[in-house]
Amino acid sequence: MLSAKSLFQEILDDDESFRLFCSIAASGESQGGWENARIAALVPPDQRDLAPKIARHGADEDKHGRIFDALLKKRGLQPVPVPPDADYTMLLERAGIGLAHDRLRADQPLTVQDVVTYLAHSRVTEQRASEQMELLRKHFADHPDIGRAVRMISHDEDNHLAYCHEELLRLARAGHGRAIQRTLRECALTEIRVHRDVSLAVMSHMGRILGWSRPKAALLAAGVHAVYAGERLAGWHRMVSLTMPERRDALGGPATPAPEFA
């Protein structure tokens, strides 16, 4: 019987599929680290209080990248190039979601609208990351090889999501509510499409590595399309709602080190 647990267990048990999984994850996290570091350096003067939190966000993402690299090293594996069709962060940027890398490479201060764009993009993508890590935590929190990494990353992703809620609500109170809702909706609808495309690409690559039969591959692809249909119909609303989180000031301190993975 196919399930999320059995599917990931299959990927985990094979060196080549595990190598691809960790390489994709490490690349995305490292890219997020760079983006947040640049945004922290460019925030406008009237939003400078955000800079340490954005930097903390970036430091967490860098840490996650190192954790995935360490998981590979632990099994004597080297990273592989990320297939372009499975590069989630690159495809989101190409779709116009978030702040363009050309904008971040320039030394021009960001605007408040840029900050709204960044936080809205993060709120949507961190929702996805939090849910995915929650699923892994549910099934693999006690796994001898990846359990500690799963628990640590899941905790961080929940913090990132709480931070996005709190800061967007602060900006909404400052008069940016309409811009926030408009940007969130645009981000969410684009993200669910990109997530569908990346999921299909990853499943295709994994299927070739693991030798999945055509019926199995078709069933998994149908599942991806079904998830997208549900999200396109109404599921995207969970990505645009804003509620004050229980975890207040979730990124108000330094990043938690991970010496056991570094």
Side-chain angles (χ1 to χ4, degrees), residues 13 19 41 81 85 133 140 153 159 164 192-193 206 212:
D13 289 344
R19 183 160 74 146
D85 58 355
M133 292 310 303
F140 295 97
I153 295 173
N159 277 345
C164 291
I192 63 172
R193 175 176 54 79
M206 292 297 181
W212 289 342

Side-chain angles (χ1 to χ4, degrees), residues 134-194:
E134 182 181 6
L135 181 63
L136 287 180
R137 188 178 66 215
K138 175 182 177 182
H139 296 300
F140 295 97
D142 297 323
H143 191 280
D145 295 326
I146 67 167
R148 187 182 299 171
V150 165
R151 294 193 303 272
M152 179 176 289
I153 295 173
S154 180
H155 174 78
D156 288 346
E157 301 296 9
D158 289 346
N159 277 345
H160 299 167
L161 184 57
Y163 146 77
C164 291
H165 275 269
E166 187 171 5
E167 296 303 330
L168 284 168
L169 285 169
R170 177 183 62 82
L171 287 169
R173 290 194 299 270
H176 302 283
R178 287 189 178 182
I180 288 169
Q181 285 302 317
R182 181 176 65 251
T183 309
L184 280 172
R185 185 179 189 277
E186 177 186 352
C187 286
L189 292 175
T190 301
E191 192 279 341
I192 63 172
R193 175 176 54 79
V194 170

Side-chain angles (χ1 to χ4, degrees), residues 18-167:
F18 184 70
R19 183 160 74 146
L20 178 59
F21 170 80
C22 287
S23 297
I24 292 172
S27 175
E29 297 286 357
S30 297
Q31 187 63 58
W34 176 83
E35 291 172 357
N36 278 277
R38 289 302 299 153
I39 293 167
L42 298 173
V43 291
D46 61 347
Q47 299 293 323
R48 289 306 300 173
D49 288 348
L50 261 181
K53 298 178 183 181
I54 299 172
R56 160 74 185 275
H57 190 177
D60 283 345
E61 303 287 3
D62 281 335
K63 177 182 70 178
H64 299 168
R66 294 194 303 273
I67 288 173
F68 284 113
D69 285 337
L71 290 174
L72 286 174
K73 185 177 180 181
K74 186 177 181 180
R75 281 175 61 162
L77 303 172
Q78 293 294 320
V80 295
V82 176
D85 58 355
D87 195 328
Y88 176 74
T89 54
M90 179 190 71
L91 292 171
L92 282 176
E93 187 199 2
R94 287 184 178 177
I97 297 303
L99 297 175
H101 288 180
D102 288 345
R103 179 77 175 88
L104 297 181
R105 292 189 184 98
D107 287 326
Q108 297 296 321
L110 301 176
T111 65
V112 175
Q113 180 55 51
D114 289 331
V115 173
V116 167
T117 297
Y118 151 69
L119 285 170
H121 166 253
S122 295
R123 188 261 176 273
V124 169
T125 55
E126 293 297 341
Q127 179 79 38
R128 182 75 67 187
S130 178
E131 290 171 353
Q132 290 179 331
M133 292 310 303
E134 182 181 6
L135 181 63
L136 287 180
R137 188 178 66 215
K138 175 182 177 182
H139 296 300
F140 295 97
D142 297 323
H143 191 280
D145 295 326
I146 67 167
R148 187 182 299 171
V150 165
R151 294 193 303 272
M152 179 176 289
I153 295 173
S154 180
H155 174 78
D156 288 346
E157 301 296 9
D158 289 346
N159 277 345
H160 299 167
L161 184 57
Y163 146 77
C164 291
H165 275 269
E166 187 171 5
E167 296 303 330

Side-chain angles (χ1 to χ4, degrees), residues 202-219:
V202 171
M203 289 298 101
S204 177
H205 290 292
M206 292 297 181
R208 284 194 290 272
I209 292 171
L210 296 169
W212 289 342
S213 66
R214 285 188 178 182
K216 181 174 181 177
L219 182 60

Side-chain angles (χ1 to χ4, degrees), residues 128 192 195 221-233 235 238:
R128 182 75 67 187
I192 63 172
H195 180 259
V224 171
H225 284 293
V227 169
Y228 171 73
E231 291 192 328
R232 187 65 182 84
L233 180 63
R238 78 190 190 285

